[in-house]
Amino acid sequence: MAATMVSSAGALLAMLNESHPQLKQHALYNLNKFVDQFWPEISTSVPLIESLYEDEEFDRHQRQLAALVVSKVFCYLGDLNDSLSYALGAGSLLMSLRILIMFILFLMCLNFDHLRSVVDIFKFAGASLVCLTFLFLFLTSAKAIDEYASLKAKATESNAEAANVDPRLEAIVERMLDKCIMDGKHQQAMGIAIECRRLDKLEEAITRSDNVHGTLSYCINVSHAFVSRREYRCEVLHLLVNVYQKLPYPDYLSICQCLMFLDEPEGVASILEKLLRSENKDDVLLAFQIAFDLVENEHQAFLLNVRDRLSVPKSQSSEMVQPKSSDPDPAQNNSSTASEDVQMTEGTSASIAIVQETDPNDAIYAERLTKIKGILSGETSIQLTLQFLYSHNKSDLLILKTIKQSVEMRNSVCHSATIYANAIMHAGTTVDTFLRENLDWLSRATNWAKFSATAGLGVIHRGHLQQGRSLMRPYLPQGGSGGGGSPYSEGGALYALGLIHANHGKGIKQFLRDSLRSTNVERFIYDSAVAGEAAGISMGLLMVGSASEKASEMLTYAHETQHEKIIRGLALGIALTVYGREEEADTLIEQMTRDQDPILRYGGMYALALAYRGTANNKAIRQLLHFAVSDVSDDVRRTAVLALGFVLYSEPEQTPRIVSLLSESYNPHVRYGAALAVGISCAGTGLSEAISLLEPLTSDVVDFVRQGALIAMAMVMVQMNEAGDSRVGTFRRQLEKIILDKHEDTMSKMGAILASGILDAGGRNVTIRLLSKTKHDKVTAVVGLAVFSQFWYWYPLIYFISLSFSPTAFIGLNYDLKVPKFEFLSNAKPSLFEYPKPTTVPTTTSAVKLPTAVLSTSAKAKARAKKEAEQKANAEKAAGAESSSAATNTGKEKSSSEKDADSMQVDSQPEKKAGPEPSFEILTNPARVVPAQEKFIKFMEDSRYAPVKFVPSGFVLLRDLQPTEPEVLSLTDAPSSTVSPAGDSATGQQGSASAMAVDEEPQPPQPFEYTS
Amino acid sequence: MDPQLTEVSQLFERFKAACVREDVDTGSNLLSKLKVMLTGFRSLPPLFEDTPNAIHELTLARDIYEHAVLLSVKIGDQDAFERDFFQLKPYYTDASGRLPPSSQEYMILGLNLLRLLVQNRIAEFHTELELLSPTALENPCIKHAVELEQSFMEGAYNRVLSAKQTVPYKTYDYFMDLLAKTVRDEIAGCSEKAYDYLSISDARQTLLFSSDDELLQYINEEHPEWEIKNGVVIFQKAKESAPCKEIPSLQLINQTLSYARELERIV
């Protein structure tokens, strides 16, 4: 009997006008029933129903009914505020289940824009059907809670206590919270409590849950993802730390992460100390693990603080630590000859000598302390990373060769682009074969090209802390004499040193400062504006995130100066100072974005980007989008779009959606910005949407858009191979085509060359990562990428991208912080994550152009993957023979790389083309684990080592289950481990190449003469 | 038969008797009671549940509401008419598939159209018209209303007035009288715009009054802003007071320019 359906609410609405109360009631009752069908009709009569609600003579129940109907209509009309106020009027009716569920359905029909955060929290809760029902129940009050939360937020902001909060609201919220807690829906309760700033309830929810640890870590995630006000987030984290500390078995790893966010080095230091003093070796391992995790976030100032606060073993303490912290000043003044490396070794030996005299307990502690200080200073991790990158280097020199051959000699842009690509490809690997084989070619670099060529060495040797200085010595300004090389190469060398020591500058800072002073005369040769720009940026770099008052000083100066470059440098510098300050930076940002000068507005965009980096803060996004479409300056618009990438990097899935419209803009600057925004925020994710968005842009009509798109694409696809996404192969072929095409624009050619470099960055063993495993931002990486995005104005800034590289390695460490050999499992097909095949595969068009010798070896290499490495070495030998200079060097280099190849086989050998592919792969301890692979990593059950805390990549401290047996260590063939100080000093002298050949360490390139 | 239904039918008989007696007060009271009782039946709109006596109940309810509509005409209560008509309507539209058509349907629909015409709610008039079937449009009651509306729109007011002689039912008289007044208001409105002044005799003719007294009374009641001087009705004041609607050109230009700017900015 579905045939008869009422088609209009007209009759019911007419009945409302009847005088008899019973008729009105009947009408109301039925209206409430049909409101979801006829709300458009009813909406015209809302005033009538409202008057019923306000009619004092009406009985209470009916007035509530009227309120409910009105509330629902408003709900449909999207006026949630009115809806809420009437829903409150509906009182107890709303709580009756049936009506509740109907009310939910309304809410569900509406768009949830400002309820989103709450809904997201609920989504986390996971969804069994029962759970969903509950979720609906909670949702009904979601609006109420939202309102309550915003009132509370306002109250806290203006310090006026919650006096204005409607008590009815308060009641609803409390009821919901209590119900959640009672029903064991702790996650929901926590979500609501956080949203409503009810920290008391939050604590209750956490402590009453059955799995306190799980709940706490969930809560940390939530507070990072959804609490947008920094101040409040700190409050929440404080609470969490308190709760953590009350637990019988506190999770020190999480506590330390929280403390780091709160910037409380004392807490971390005391925890570390407690663990270090413990009898139990596991505790010490845990302390090491904590230290490594902290280092991963690259928050240098914090780490230094922690280090300084670690108490030292009693009597000798002062002697031991003092020289370390203070030595840069006195010792470094005689900068030209004193070598930091020597001092380091001296320092350590001295401390060891001292320790031997103390009692055993203290001795153990002191030994541990030295280790943990090593970790905290970043030296341990840098050294291990360096070793890993060196030994696992898989970069494909043939790509570079192809590029080099196809690039016109006279084209200096492409020439230096090739040098950049080389530097990026070998970043941190210390392999500079390519440079050494092509000295002639390299020497064509002039002026700034020379600068960047020299600076490129810095990228290649990144993290080579001990020998950085000696490597660069030939190029550094010679103290006093000043005669030596050209100012450009000297400038480049200083830049290189900066890159090598990035974020671990302790000793080198003073040296740089001195050299600057001594080379003052020469600096005049540079355009003084360039120096100004550099000074602006470096001031910013020094004060990252300090939000110091210097910023306003810089701003004033920027107003005074006429020089565009200086203003730009200062603007960026200011932006860097507000790094991560979120709301605190608002005034400064406001000031900058309202400035008349487009360059300062441009700086303002960066300030927004960096202050709200990775927060996905809605306000920042809105502001940036506004500037992206409304500013008059193309530069500002471009930067505004680009800045979106920084704000959104914690939620890479969002970016393609947000910038998709912008990527179709008529304005090429906006398109360029959109491409880079995607590149930045989706870097290293290989996100499919990002690739689809960038694909059309790589064939844009405007050359610089193509450039940006190619670079961005490379950033997204870093470390992917064709098995992961077939478009990677297409992209590689596209790059090759662009590079080989004679008629292609220089801009896009440069983009393509850089893209090839980024795709295979760091010997194919690094990815671009802006977030650490614990979802904190990596300061250096973000800043590096921000400065990198400036290469639009000055190409050498491209090198800053190397700061954002992080190795995709699993490095297990034992108690001695050595790398023991053991095996673990990757539960996925090996082909999914293997290294991309070398370029010599015949399908590539470039194969034709390559020398025949290379072709034949490569063919064999393809046929027999197992011998591939050796054959490639042969090919290189052949190639090496061609270049007349440095022939001996290359020959020797071969032997070491062959050794590497052998040790590498464990990783690469299982895939033989014949037969079905195994569904798992066995990796040996220092192993390449790409981000996508992380979820497949497992430890074997019968393994000798067990992790202190299981993480699938990065540094993992291992517990040795069979401590009596001797350990097999790997990573001993690393570049720096066998270096003696004597050999070190030898490198400094020119013409020492043959002597160096005996060493296993890679030599610096021969100092080359510029023939320009 | 279900006792409730019996009770309703008995009450309905009494109501009908009261209507025939023209006993309006008793009729209204009874009607109110009836309506309340009808809310107890679940077979009626908007629920339309399929109870055993559904057809009977629906028919009875329809009869009641039809009588209610007619009663409201009789007492000249337009609000009540509207209320009752809307409550009656679902029986004609939604329940039409289940009930035999009512003999009074077209007459009441026609009455409603007439009412809309009288209240000068032309838009709603046409909405109602659109909802009617082609056969309904052929019905003399509906036709009558449609023709009236056409004459009304054309400005052939004499035809409107003369149509009073051709009403299909006596119940229409009430609205036809009201219509004469609507027509007069319409003419008055037009004259105000069209003339600066009119002589009293011309005004009387135009406004379809038979005597000057009636005219003066009308002016006093409805248009106190008209001035009567020297045997002439002057509309000047009304014109002045009527807000002069200027085309907001400047605002429009600004708006268009800002649109253009926004368009430029779009991405």
Side-chain angles (χ1 to χ4, degrees):
Chain A
M1 146 62 224
T4 326
M5 284 295 294
V6 67
S7 64
S8 152
L12 293 170
L13 290 174
M15 204 183 268
L16 278 181
N17 282 320
E18 294 278 2
S19 50
H20 201 290
Q22 226 173 320
L23 287 176
K24 287 186 184 180
Q25 190 184 351
H26 178 74
L28 264 182
Y29 176 76
N30 281 306
L31 278 176
N32 183 32
K33 235 181 219 170
F34 288 94
V35 70
D36 42 349
Q37 202 179 342
F38 297 119
W39 62 269
E41 256 181 293
I42 301 173
S43 67
T44 57
S45 305
V46 159
L48 178 68
I49 309 176
E50 279 173 335
S51 68
L52 287 182
Y53 167 61
E54 279 148 21
D55 187 353
E56 302 283 334
E57 289 167 26
F58 231 41
D59 88 39
R60 200 170 140 263
H61 180 78
Q62 282 185 49
R63 289 177 55 196
Q64 286 183 343
L65 196 60
L68 187 62
V69 174
V70 178
S71 163
K72 285 175 178 178
V73 173
F74 274 128
C75 202
Y76 271 118
L77 292 173
D79 188 346
L80 291 189
N81 284 326
D82 279 342
S83 175
L84 175 66
S85 64
Y86 280 100
L88 289 174
S92 62
L93 268 190
L94 194 62
M95 287 296 134
S96 102
L97 193 71
R98 197 161 43 87
I99 301 174
L100 248 179
I101 287 171
M102 280 171 66
F103 195 66
I104 294 150
L105 291 177
F106 295 119
L107 281 167
M108 299 299 283
C109 302
L110 296 163
N111 67 2
F112 260 133
D113 267 358
H114 45 310
L115 294 180
R116 213 194 109 229
S117 50
V118 182
V119 175
D120 275 341
I121 291 171
F122 286 123
K123 263 193 220 147
F124 264 107
S128 71
L129 199 62
V130 185
C131 193
L132 266 178
T133 328
F134 271 105
L135 190 149
F136 284 156
L137 285 176
F138 299 137
L139 266 184
T140 44
S141 330
K143 178 59 197 162
I145 288 166
D146 221 28
E147 174 102 330
Y148 177 76
S150 74
L151 280 175
K152 271 285 218 186
K154 267 184 224 150
T156 30
E157 272 159 45
S158 61
N159 271 339
E161 255 321 291
N164 300 332
V165 178
D166 190 330
R168 293 178 299 176
L169 259 179
E170 190 115 33
I172 287 191
V173 173
E174 295 234 329
R175 197 157 53 204
M176 291 321 302
L177 281 170
D178 290 341
K179 193 168 159 52
C180 291
I181 294 174
M182 240 153 49
D183 296 351
K185 302 280 176 260
H186 300 284
Q187 296 190 336
Q188 285 87 332
M190 278 154 49
I192 300 170
I194 289 179
E195 193 82 351
C196 298
R197 301 178 176 247
R198 288 297 298 263
L199 293 183
D200 51 333
K201 290 283 174 192
L202 180 63
E203 190 170 353
E204 188 184 338
I206 294 172
T207 46
R208 286 179 56 174
S209 70
D210 343 309
N211 175 9
V212 181
H213 280 285
T215 325
L216 274 170
S217 64
Y218 168 83
C219 195
I220 291 177
N221 276 339
V222 169
S223 63
H224 279 294
F226 300 110
V227 180
S228 55
R229 276 182 60 86
R230 185 189 157 92
E231 232 174 88
Y232 178 53
R233 189 158 58 217
C234 286
E235 267 176 57
V236 175
L237 289 179
H238 263 298
L239 174 88
L240 293 182
V241 171
N242 283 341
V243 177
Y244 263 129
Q245 277 165 349
K246 277 183 213 153
L247 296 180
Y249 303 103
D251 178 357
Y252 290 117
L253 278 169
S254 309
I255 298 181
C256 287
Q257 291 293 336
C258 288
L259 286 173
M260 189 186 70
F261 183 84
L262 294 170
D263 204 5
E264 285 184 3
E266 302 88 358
V268 178
S270 68
I271 289 175
L272 286 179
E273 207 178 316
K274 191 172 141 204
L275 289 174
L276 284 179
R277 288 197 185 277
S278 156
E279 298 288 303
N280 192 342
K281 244 185 174 185
D282 286 353
D283 282 348
V284 183
L285 287 177
L286 187 62
F288 291 161
Q289 182 72 58
I290 290 172
F292 272 119
D293 282 0
L294 293 176
V295 168
E296 208 204 341
N297 292 309
E298 300 175 348
H299 197 323
Q300 206 197 356
F302 178 77
L303 294 175
L304 275 176
N305 271 331
V306 173
R307 211 159 45 131
D308 293 346
R309 281 187 169 76
L310 280 177
S311 75
V312 277
K314 293 146 221 164
S315 53
Q316 283 80 8
S317 60
S318 54
E319 290 168 56
M320 201 190 106
V321 179
Q322 283 315 316
K324 272 210 153 187
S325 52
S326 61
D327 68 6
D329 298 306
Q332 293 291 317
N333 279 338
N334 47 356
S335 56
S336 51
T337 46
S339 148
E340 153 119 83
D341 331 327
V342 181
Q343 280 188 9
M344 296 279 282
T345 43
E346 273 173 12
T348 17
S349 58
S351 70
I352 288 168
I354 291 163
V355 164
Q356 278 163 352
E357 292 163 22
T358 57
D359 68 287
N361 255 344
D362 258 8
I364 293 173
Y365 174 67
E367 178 215 335
R368 289 170 177 170
L369 194 67
T370 329
K371 278 184 194 161
I372 206 154
K373 286 198 168 171
I375 299 172
L376 285 175
S377 69
E379 279 154 23
T380 314
S381 60
I382 287 177
Q383 199 180 352
L384 286 166
T385 308
L386 191 70
Q387 289 172 1
F388 169 79
L389 287 178
Y390 172 68
S391 60
H392 284 61
N393 178 23
K394 273 275 180 176
S395 63
D396 193 344
L397 282 174
L398 282 167
I399 296 179
L400 279 172
K401 247 173 223 159
T402 320
I403 296 174
K404 195 196 108 199
Q405 274 158 9
S406 61
V407 163
E408 272 183 72
M409 292 303 173
R410 274 156 302 160
N411 191 336
S412 73
V413 173
C414 290
H415 185 272
S416 25
T418 316
I419 296 172
Y420 295 138
N422 168 54
I424 293 169
M425 256 190 206
H426 294 104
T429 60
T430 73
V431 175
D432 44 17
T433 331
F434 180 77
L435 289 181
R436 267 183 285 129
E437 282 173 9
N438 298 292
L439 286 176
D440 277 350
W441 174 80
L442 198 61
S443 61
R444 287 201 188 87
T446 52
N447 298 344
W448 286 113
K450 205 185 280 179
F451 176 93
S452 44
T454 323
L457 283 175
V459 177
I460 295 178
H461 290 280
R462 169 151 203 249
H464 212 163
L465 295 185
Q466 278 85 8
Q467 285 141 60
R469 185 95 56 76
S470 46
L471 275 169
M472 299 313 296
R473 178 153 316 129
Y475 311 106
L476 285 171
Q478 305 296 318
S481 69
S486 80
Y488 288 105
S489 62
E490 286 175 4
L494 291 175
Y495 182 23
L497 270 187
L499 288 170
I500 292 178
H501 292 266
N503 210 2
H504 302 283
K506 208 175 66 168
I508 212 76
K509 230 183 248 169
Q510 185 64 33
F511 173 71
L512 283 176
R513 219 174 293 151
D514 283 348
S515 337
L516 268 182
R517 217 178 303 134
S518 67
T519 54
N520 246 354
V521 196
E522 282 161 310
R523 285 226 317 186
F524 285 114
I525 304 170
Y526 294 79
D527 184 358
S528 67
V530 176
E533 177 170 18
I537 296 179
S538 49
M539 276 170 89
L541 287 175
L542 280 178
M543 296 189 284
V544 164
S546 60
S548 68
E549 286 167 14
K550 283 266 165 50
S552 52
E553 227 171 89
M554 288 163 85
L555 199 60
T556 343
Y557 181 63
H559 279 295
E560 282 164 9
T561 181
Q562 293 290 312
H563 228 294
E564 198 177 298
K565 281 194 166 145
I566 301 181
I567 303 177
R568 187 176 307 121
L570 284 170
L572 186 66
I574 298 168
L576 288 171
T577 59
V578 296
Y579 177 91
R581 310 307 290 197
E582 300 181 25
E583 289 86 3
E584 288 171 45
D586 279 352
T587 7
L588 189 71
I589 291 171
E590 182 80 12
Q591 216 178 335
M592 289 179 84
T593 52
R594 294 223 169 160
D595 204 280
Q596 281 186 343
D597 189 344
I599 303 176
L600 281 181
R601 288 206 300 277
Y602 153 95
M605 296 302 108
Y606 268 107
L608 256 177
L610 292 175
Y612 290 97
R613 83 279 167 273
T615 55
N617 185 301
N618 274 336
K619 201 183 96 209
I621 293 174
R622 210 176 309 122
Q623 247 178 314
L624 286 174
L625 282 175
H626 174 74
F627 280 107
V629 297
S630 67
D631 203 280
V632 286
S633 158
D634 278 338
D635 285 340
V636 179
R637 293 172 75 164
R638 187 184 63 236
T639 323
V641 184
L642 192 150
L644 282 174
F646 284 104
V647 178
L648 285 167
Y649 68 71
S650 60
E651 295 178 28
E653 312 78 34
Q654 299 267 14
T655 323
R657 193 173 55 79
I658 288 183
V659 300
S660 67
L661 262 183
L662 294 168
S663 74
E664 288 161 21
S665 161
Y666 74 94
N667 184 330
H669 288 269
V670 173
R671 291 204 298 275
Y672 176 91
L676 276 194
V678 173
I680 290 165
S681 64
C682 306
T685 58
L687 206 69
S688 174
E689 293 86 32
I691 296 174
S692 329
L693 186 132
L694 289 172
E695 235 171 6
L697 288 175
T698 56
S699 44
D700 200 273
V701 284
V702 181
D703 51 0
F704 66 81
V705 178
R706 284 202 295 278
Q707 183 192 51
L710 289 171
I711 292 174
M713 188 77 118
M715 287 165 78
V716 174
M717 284 182 173
V718 130
Q719 276 206 332
M720 282 177 79
N721 63 11
E722 269 188 87
D725 193 326
S726 63
R727 287 176 290 188
V728 178
T730 326
F731 180 60
R732 278 182 186 276
R733 281 188 287 280
Q734 187 188 3
L735 287 180
E736 201 161 5
K737 207 174 127 249
I738 294 175
I739 293 170
L740 292 176
D741 188 352
K742 287 262 184 298
H743 305 293
E744 190 65 50
D745 287 300
T746 312
M747 285 285 255
S748 48
K749 217 170 204 175
M750 176 193 166
I753 295 172
L754 285 178
S756 333
I758 296 170
L759 262 186
D760 293 328
R764 296 185 168 162
N765 281 318
V766 300
T767 186
I768 300 173
R769 217 193 297 226
L770 299 177
L771 286 175
S772 65
K773 285 188 297 289
T774 42
K775 301 281 181 239
H776 290 278
D777 50 316
K778 299 176 69 164
V779 184
T780 320
V782 177
V783 169
L785 219 48
V787 183
F788 162 74
S789 60
Q790 293 280 312
F791 75 87
W792 176 274
Y793 297 104
W794 198 49
Y795 287 148
L797 291 178
I798 286 170
Y799 287 137
F800 268 87
I801 200 179
S802 67
L803 299 187
S804 63
F805 291 154
S806 63
T808 49
F810 176 96
I811 302 180
L813 298 172
N814 62 10
Y815 173 71
D816 300 319
L817 301 184
K818 293 275 184 307
V819 185
K821 205 163 196 146
F822 84 109
E823 292 181 337
F824 57 96
L825 212 60
S826 162
N827 240 339
K829 286 183 187 169
S831 72
L832 272 180
F833 305 113
E834 69 188 350
Y835 289 102
K837 295 181 188 66
T839 30
T840 42
V841 178
T843 48
T844 58
T845 48
S846 72
V848 193
K849 304 204 171 194
L850 294 168
T852 33
V854 178
L855 239 186
S856 64
T857 45
S858 67
K860 274 182 227 155
K862 199 203 164 198
R864 297 175 63 195
K866 192 177 179 181
K867 291 209 173 157
E868 178 226 353
E870 283 139 286
Q871 291 195 347
K872 197 173 141 206
N874 286 335
E876 275 173 21
K877 226 177 232 165
E882 282 166 23
S883 71
S884 52
S885 68
T888 37
N889 280 353
T890 337
K892 282 295 170 188
E893 178 71 4
K894 235 65 282 136
S895 62
S896 66
S897 72
E898 260 169 18
K899 239 184 232 168
D900 294 348
D902 285 331
S903 68
M904 280 299 300
Q905 278 170 13
V906 198
D907 295 1
S908 55
Q909 147 267 84
E911 333 106 49
K912 287 227 169 182
K913 290 291 172 271
E917 205 183 350
S919 61
F920 64 91
E921 185 179 13
I922 291 177
L923 304 171
T924 316
N925 183 3
R928 176 189 192 250
V929 176
V930 299
Q933 195 177 2
E934 286 173 4
K935 51 179 178 288
F936 301 110
I937 297 299
K938 286 218 171 66
F939 273 77
M940 283 190 258
E941 280 167 20
D942 53 354
S943 173
R944 174 173 166 184
Y945 296 98
V948 170
K949 167 201 163 198
F950 180 72
V951 274
S953 75
F955 295 101
V956 180
L957 265 295
L958 301 168
R959 205 178 312 139
D960 192 348
L961 301 178
Q962 299 150 5
T964 48
E965 287 172 40
E967 288 179 303
V968 188
L969 301 180
S970 50
L971 267 192
T972 45
D973 54 348
S976 51
S977 51
T978 56
V979 175
S980 64
D984 190 31
S985 62
T987 47
Q989 283 147 28
Q990 303 202 351
S992 66
S994 53
M996 282 301 303
V998 194
D999 239 331
E1000 268 199 287
E1001 137 194 70
Q1003 306 79 3
Q1006 282 189 332
F1008 41 83
E1009 291 278 308
Y1010 293 108
T1011 57
S1012 60
Chain B
M1 197 187 276
D2 154 28
Q4 215 180 346
L5 190 59
T6 330
E7 198 187 336
V8 174
S9 341
Q10 281 166 0
L11 211 57
F12 182 42
E13 290 306 322
R14 281 170 56 198
F15 168 61
K16 274 200 277 194
C19 285
V20 172
R21 282 201 314 276
E22 311 242 321
D23 183 351
V24 178
D25 291 339
T26 332
S28 302
N29 279 336
L30 287 172
L31 179 62
S32 182
K33 262 185 213 160
L34 275 171
K35 281 181 181 170
V36 172
M37 286 171 83
L38 283 181
T39 61
F41 293 109
R42 305 189 60 79
S43 60
L44 303 185
L47 299 175
F48 284 123
E49 275 177 27
D50 200 7
T51 51
N53 295 323
I55 303 293
H56 196 96
E57 286 163 7
L58 279 170
T59 324
L60 186 62
R62 188 178 65 184
D63 273 356
I64 293 172
Y65 278 112
E66 279 175 348
H67 275 88
V69 170
L70 294 178
L71 178 70
S72 67
V73 174
K74 212 169 275 173
I75 54 179
D77 184 345
Q78 290 187 38
D79 287 341
F81 179 92
E82 190 177 345
R83 258 190 339 253
D84 293 331
F85 176 76
F86 271 119
Q87 292 179 59
L88 172 60
K89 219 176 147 199
Y91 296 92
Y92 291 152
T93 53
D94 305 336
S96 61
R98 307 174 61 206
L99 298 180
S102 151
S103 57
Q104 309 228 43
E105 179 171 349
Y106 290 118
M107 184 195 75
I108 290 178
L109 287 178
L111 267 178
N112 184 47
L113 288 176
L114 216 52
R115 170 186 69 92
L116 292 172
L117 215 50
V118 166
Q119 293 172 343
N120 219 347
R121 285 154 71 173
I122 305 297
E124 282 166 72
F125 177 89
H126 283 281
T127 316
E128 289 294 321
L129 219 52
E130 289 302 319
L131 293 172
L132 293 176
S133 63
T135 44
L137 289 178
E138 291 303 310
N139 187 283
C141 299
I142 311 293
K143 239 182 174 165
H144 177 74
V146 173
E147 278 165 10
L148 269 180
E149 193 262 352
Q150 280 165 356
S151 314
F152 193 62
M153 288 297 110
E154 283 167 23
Y157 296 129
N158 55 339
R159 252 193 285 157
V160 177
L161 296 179
S162 62
K164 197 181 168 184
Q165 271 74 53
T166 59
V167 288
Y169 290 97
K170 221 168 87 46
T171 36
Y172 278 44
D173 282 348
Y174 166 68
F175 282 118
M176 291 310 286
D177 289 337
L178 288 176
L179 195 57
K181 182 166 179 316
T182 312
V183 167
R184 186 169 292 131
D185 286 343
E186 201 66 1
I187 294 172
C190 293
S191 317
E192 219 172 52
K193 293 274 174 330
Y195 306 107
D196 287 341
Y197 57 88
L198 272 178
S199 69
I200 290 203
S201 62
D202 285 345
R204 190 196 68 214
Q205 257 184 354
T206 324
L207 293 174
L208 313 164
F209 283 114
S210 42
S211 71
D212 287 357
D213 286 343
E214 275 177 324
L215 173 69
L216 293 178
Q217 194 191 345
Y218 172 76
I219 291 175
N220 267 337
E221 280 170 12
E222 302 285 328
H223 297 282
E225 75 274 14
W226 295 358
E227 212 176 334
I228 302 169
K229 221 191 261 172
N230 308 331
V232 178
V233 184
I234 303 172
F235 302 119
Q236 200 58 42
K237 219 165 139 195
K239 252 184 210 165
E240 274 166 11
S241 64
C244 174
K245 268 192 193 157
E246 213 177 298
I247 297 171
S249 41
L250 218 62
Q251 189 197 341
L252 278 178
I253 292 169
N254 276 332
Q255 220 157 43
T256 323
L257 280 177
S258 78
Y259 287 153
R261 238 191 336 266
E262 298 278 307
L263 268 181
E264 177 83 355
R265 277 178 186 176
I266 288 177
V267 180

